[in-house]
Amino acid sequence: MSQSRVIMEVGNDGVAVITISNPPVNALAIPIIDGLKEKFAEATRRNDVKAIVLTGKGGRFSGGFDINVFQKVHGTGDVSIMPDVSVELVTNAVEDCKKPVVAAVAGLALGGGLEFAMGCHARIAAPRAQLGLPELSLGVIPGFGGTQRLPRLVGLSKAIEMMLSSKPIMSEEGKKLGLIDALVPSEDLLKVSRAWALDIAERRKPWLRSLHRTDKIGSLSEAREVLKVARQQAKKSAPNLPQHQICLDVIEEGIVHGGYSGVLKEAKVFKEIVLSDTARGLVHVFLSQRATSKVPNVTDVGLKPRQVKKVAIIGGGLMGSGIATALIMNNISVVLKEVNSEYLQKGIKTIEANVRGLATRGKLTKDKAVKAISMLKGVLDYAEFKDVDMVIEAVIENVPLKQKIFSEIEKACPPHCILATNTSTIDLNLIGEKIKSEDRVIGAHFFSPAHLMPLLEIVRTQKTSPQIILDLMTVGKVIKKVPVVVGNCTGFAVNRTFFPYAQGAHLLVNLGVDAFRIDWVISNFGLPMGPFQLQDLAGYGVAMAVGKEYEKAFPDRVFKSPLVELLIKNGRNGKNNGKGYYIYEKGSKPKPDPSVLPIIEESRRLTNIMPAGKPIWVTDKEILEMILFPVVNEACRVLDEGIVVRASDLDIASVLGMSFPSYRGGIVFWADIVGANHVYRSLKKWSEMYGGFYKPSKFLEERATKGIPLSAAATATSKSRL
């Protein structure tokens, strides 16, 4: 904490420069807030201080309130840990200070950082500084007066858009909107800010208190109309996120009853919402993502990552082309190998289309798109592999083929080269068993589409060297993925945990529950689509192939449904041919296909598991639990076997790899909120009624009966694949 402090220097000009110093982003930790209170009191008291400039050290103003404090509040349930910043510091000490205060903003002013700047009497910024209030993405609302001051500075509509989207703007846009008073080169920032502060003190520039302004709010009826539209949009786009509506209520309070009244309501509501399940879930996901970069015996043993400049990819299909796109977009050269020129051209065209698509959507500039495509080279042999730093095999799931490729690349590649496979289910020991360099074999499991999905599951075997793991983690970060290191088993961490998801849905359908109702319940819970629509999207071939792998690996707990085979026999292949459980027509949303119902009836007749031949009666809550509790159960086995470093790795992987709703905190976190005991008792009851698919794991039983959270760290005796 020695670097974490607030410094004050008073110049000969009578300006006190108060600097926040808490690397890397000058987060507003509690000692920093105490330091700010102290320095503002001192500057106000001193007769030699005429004006004040507030800034941040190291070219950054402040990244906002310290999120670790939220974690403490969630751990203890004690909201009194939260300091009083909004009224005592931002309003009383800064905005109502008897001396003018100017914010000198560089780099970023986010969350509480921007709220502090808005409490100042003017804001001077360096070019390309990020300004934003991202609090809603953490399940809370701005808590240092941001809901009141931002609308008064940029106008109501823009303020609502910035808060509800959590997206920052640049200081250039801030200047146009009136959030920033002047844009100056970085090297002049302090000089101009000091002069500006003295100009206010000597009445050459206006002394403006943001909270007192009303010129950008409009009339009460206009404001109410803007808020009404925003509420309706938030209901549609964020139905499960209470913080959106709460934020709009607090904004309205200030418009109707005045800024100070709004600040008081904001402070009160903030302390209530910070303890909500949504805030707990979103803060957990944020911190879980941070924790993935710490891997015992890899990141803590003094190793330095080696640079990966050139990567070879074998197979230009859907996955290979997606991975190649992700690499070339981030300045890594790619050699794409295919078996013949027809497949090679098809792969290159897919990659070019991916890059063009990103450029069209504004994710890449034209120049960057041209540069990215120039970094791709197609080949039909291994000659170009002599100087690659990594190979990623992305061919079909066929063990002998993968073994043959690994024998060939071991000979063709340099001895430092990472030998990676993008398999989603096959045991890595099997893939690497015919080669000598098993310490270089690693899984690089991307999720489809690979250039868009943010998760990279890094699969290590007992033999994979820590250096290889660290190198691949670094590549993951360079290509803007979140790398999660997992152990080796069928399906690895994510696909294995979620294999009961589709099977649970099929079991329910065969028990007589409507397939479209199941999809509706799951979508309402917050997943982007239900299990049947997802199966349509992935294609039935995938469902069949993956199903067989799990049948072999976990015969005691799979449910074999004939439904997918029946659909294929009926000439259906989901979205691929426009016919699945849903009808797919260009330009319209998928519609449930009533002609699939007789096929479902045939499946029910073949499985013959409906009690007394009659469909079971279940509530929506039971549907949700009968599909997700078996997933929790498998997550327990994954934790017990040490497939992941920590439970939170499985949480972030479920959010980024399976689109589990982030505001529910991930699969294990959600299960702990529901309660391990409820999960265990429900599964036990269903296993007695419907068989082994629901049988609770030993880990779940033990945790439930002892009252230990599922996410609690395992005891030292537990076995680990890591």
Side-chain angles (χ1 to χ4, degrees):
M1 286 300 282
S2 58
Q3 293 175 297
S4 171
R5 59 206 174 108
V6 179
I7 308 146
M8 185 170 89
E9 290 168 331
V10 181
N12 296 332
D13 56 359
V15 176
V17 176
I18 297 176
T19 306
I20 302 164
S21 173
N22 186 14
V25 294
N26 297 327
L28 300 169
I30 289 173
I32 294 289
I33 285 162
D34 292 342
L36 284 165
K37 286 179 183 174
E38 196 184 296
K39 298 301 180 197
F40 269 96
E42 186 190 333
T44 307
R45 209 171 46 238
R46 278 173 61 165
N47 294 329
D48 60 335
V49 173
K50 296 181 200 165
I52 301 162
V53 168
L54 176 63
T55 193
K57 197 166 189 253
R60 290 180 168 135
F61 187 75
S62 171
F65 188 59
D66 181 5
I67 197 168
N68 295 306
V69 181
F70 288 155
Q71 198 180 22
K72 278 184 196 139
V73 171
H74 294 158
T76 59
D78 179 9
V79 84
S80 71
I81 297 168
M82 299 291 297
D84 178 5
V85 178
S86 185
V87 177
E88 193 185 324
L89 185 49
V90 180
T91 304
N92 297 350
V94 179
E95 192 166 49
D96 291 346
C97 183
K98 301 284 183 290
K99 296 169 183 179
V101 186
V102 171
V105 177
L108 45 78
L110 299 174
L114 180 60
E115 290 177 283
F116 258 96
M118 291 191 293
C120 298
H121 305 117
R123 285 150 296 285
I124 314 301
R128 301 203 55 74
Q130 286 186 66
L131 315 167
L133 295 179
E135 285 89 345
L136 274 78
S137 67
L138 292 172
V140 293
I141 62 170
F144 300 170
T147 61
Q148 305 307 308
R149 291 186 182 89
L150 191 63
R152 285 164 170 77
L153 287 167
V154 303
L156 185 57
S157 293
K158 184 64 186 178
I160 289 171
E161 180 201 313
M162 283 175 71
M163 285 185 261
L164 266 55
S165 72
S166 291
K167 285 182 182 152
I169 60 168
M170 288 296 177
S171 48
E172 287 75 4
E173 189 183 346
K175 170 75 173 73
K176 283 180 196 156
L177 292 165
L179 180 56
I180 298 299
D181 295 289
L183 267 181
V184 300
S186 303
E187 59 272 20
D188 298 336
L189 184 61
L190 275 180
K191 185 178 79 181
V192 174
S193 301
R194 296 175 91 115
W196 200 289
L198 287 169
D199 281 350
I200 297 174
E202 287 155 21
R203 303 293 190 214
R204 287 193 294 270
K205 280 201 161 65
W207 191 318
L208 298 170
R209 291 180 174 88
S210 308
L211 202 57
H212 298 192
R213 289 180 60 175
T214 55
D215 53 302
K216 291 197 175 176
I217 297 291
S219 71
L220 190 56
S221 60
E222 284 169 340
R224 282 197 154 135
E225 186 54 35
V226 169
L227 286 158
K228 183 182 156 193
V229 171
R231 278 197 180 92
Q232 288 164 345
Q233 285 173 337
K235 254 188 195 136
K236 271 188 201 159
S237 62
N240 294 333
L241 300 176
Q243 69 269 33
H244 289 63
Q245 300 297 337
I246 290 167
C247 184
L248 293 166
D249 290 347
V250 172
I251 293 169
E252 183 164 21
E253 172 77 18
I255 287 167
V256 176
H257 297 111
Y260 193 68
S261 179
V263 162
L264 294 177
K265 175 156 182 166
E266 180 196 87
K268 178 179 175 285
V269 167
F270 183 89
K271 289 198 168 183
E272 291 162 6
I273 197 175
V274 77
L275 286 170
S276 67
D277 284 348
T278 306
R280 288 172 190 266
L282 288 165
V283 167
H284 174 73
V285 165
F286 181 90
L287 293 167
S288 300
Q289 184 163 330
R290 245 190 218 173
T292 57
S293 59
K294 294 186 178 85
V295 180
N297 304 320
V298 174
T299 57
D300 56 359
V301 290
L303 292 172
K304 288 206 163 47
R306 299 172 300 184
Q307 207 181 355
V308 171
K309 291 179 181 170
K310 186 176 176 185
V311 175
I313 294 173
I314 301 174
L318 179 70
M319 290 309 295
S321 57
I323 297 165
T325 308
L327 291 162
I328 60 172
M329 270 166 38
N330 292 286
N331 291 329
I332 297 175
S333 298
V334 168
V335 174
L336 180 71
K337 182 186 179 297
E338 259 298 359
V339 285
N340 60 44
S341 49
E342 184 197 337
Y343 283 1
L344 184 60
Q345 283 315 309
K346 199 177 166 195
I348 290 169
K349 279 199 174 113
T350 307
I351 295 162
E352 288 172 350
N354 287 345
V355 172
R356 271 199 310 276
L358 289 161
T360 308
R361 292 202 300 278
K363 306 270 185 201
L364 271 185
T365 62
K366 285 260 163 68
D367 292 351
K368 279 194 175 163
V370 170
K371 186 175 183 234
I373 288 166
S374 75
M375 300 193 81
L376 173 69
K377 183 175 185 182
V379 299
L380 295 170
D381 58 32
Y382 289 117
E384 284 279 342
F385 283 45
K386 64 183 181 301
D387 61 348
V388 296
D389 302 305
M390 174 161 80
V391 178
I392 302 174
E393 166 274 303
V395 302
I396 55 167
E397 298 285 61
N398 175 313
V399 175
L401 175 63
K402 287 181 190 285
Q403 287 177 336
K404 178 175 175 284
I405 287 168
F406 268 72
S407 296
E408 291 166 354
I409 59 178
E410 185 183 32
K411 294 186 191 98
C413 300
H416 74 277
C417 181
I418 301 165
L419 308 177
T421 171
N422 177 54
T423 182
S424 58
T425 41
I426 299 170
D427 186 325
L428 263 65
N429 290 322
L430 208 55
I431 292 172
E433 73 176 8
K434 302 257 163 88
I435 66 169
K436 293 186 187 79
S437 316
E438 285 185 82
D439 59 327
R440 290 191 278 140
V441 174
I442 195 162
H445 179 218
F446 290 80
F447 289 73
S448 184
H451 59 297
L452 301 177
M453 288 294 275
L455 182 66
L456 170 59
E457 203 176 22
I458 295 178
V459 189
R460 65 190 289 182
T461 69
Q462 301 281 16
K463 292 172 184 168
T464 310
S465 90
Q467 183 68 59
I468 294 288
I469 298 163
L470 184 67
D471 293 346
L472 186 50
M473 285 174 75
T474 308
V475 171
K477 285 173 187 161
V478 168
I479 64 172
K480 300 176 181 65
K481 304 291 180 201
V482 177
V484 176
V485 176
V486 303
N488 180 34
C489 65
T490 300
F492 316 130
V494 181
N495 285 345
R496 169 165 169 197
T497 297
F498 277 81
F499 93 81
Y501 174 68
Q503 297 202 353
H506 276 266
L507 180 51
L508 277 181
V509 157
N510 283 288
L511 284 167
V513 182
D514 175 43
F516 303 115
R517 182 182 169 205
I518 291 170
D519 273 3
W520 180 84
V521 166
I522 294 294
S523 299
N524 262 12
F525 175 74
L527 276 106
M529 63 184 78
F532 295 104
Q533 198 183 337
L534 183 65
Q535 220 162 50
D536 271 358
L537 194 68
Y540 300 154
V542 172
M544 295 286 289
V546 169
K548 283 183 182 131
E549 289 294 328
Y550 293 122
E551 272 172 43
K552 270 189 286 182
F554 315 117
D556 58 319
R557 56 181 185 276
V558 293
F559 172 69
K560 292 183 199 172
S561 165
L563 183 50
V564 175
E565 258 179 280
L566 292 170
L567 290 165
I568 293 168
K569 272 186 196 155
N570 190 256
R572 292 168 192 261
N573 194 20
K575 199 179 175 188
N576 287 339
N577 69 353
K579 281 168 65 185
Y581 300 99
Y582 294 80
I583 299 165
Y584 298 86
E585 286 164 353
K586 264 198 174 158
S588 63
K589 283 184 174 173
K591 290 194 255 327
D593 184 355
S595 70
V596 83
L597 298 176
I599 304 167
I600 291 172
E601 280 305 326
E602 173 65 4
S603 176
R604 286 171 183 159
R605 194 184 60 74
L606 291 169
T607 51
N608 192 27
I609 57 169
M610 288 195 286
K614 290 200 169 68
I616 62 166
W617 187 89
V618 279
T619 63
D620 289 350
K621 181 173 177 278
E622 284 170 320
I623 289 175
L624 181 75
E625 293 179 347
M626 289 177 89
I627 287 174
L628 289 182
F629 284 4
V631 176
V632 171
N633 201 23
E634 199 59 38
C636 287
R637 294 185 179 99
V638 165
L639 293 173
D640 192 31
E641 291 169 29
I643 301 294
V644 286
V645 175
R646 53 187 80 80
S648 65
D649 283 2
L650 202 45
D651 284 330
I652 192 69
S654 69
V655 168
L656 299 180
M658 286 295 172
S659 302
F660 193 84
S662 56
Y663 52 85
R664 302 206 186 268
I667 189 69
V668 185
F669 184 89
W670 173 74
D672 274 337
I673 282 181
V674 170
N677 199 32
H678 175 56
V679 177
Y680 168 68
R681 281 186 292 111
S682 304
L683 286 167
K684 196 165 186 296
K685 178 181 81 180
W686 298 327
S687 68
E688 285 155 12
M689 292 165 74
Y690 309 119
F693 174 76
Y694 289 111
K695 190 184 174 193
S697 64
K698 287 263 190 317
F699 181 94
L700 174 61
E701 182 178 8
E702 190 180 298
R703 295 274 166 125
T705 49
K706 289 182 181 171
I708 305 168
L710 300 178
S711 56
T715 52
T717 52
S718 81
K719 51 202 177 293
S720 172
R721 308 265 179 111
L722 288 162

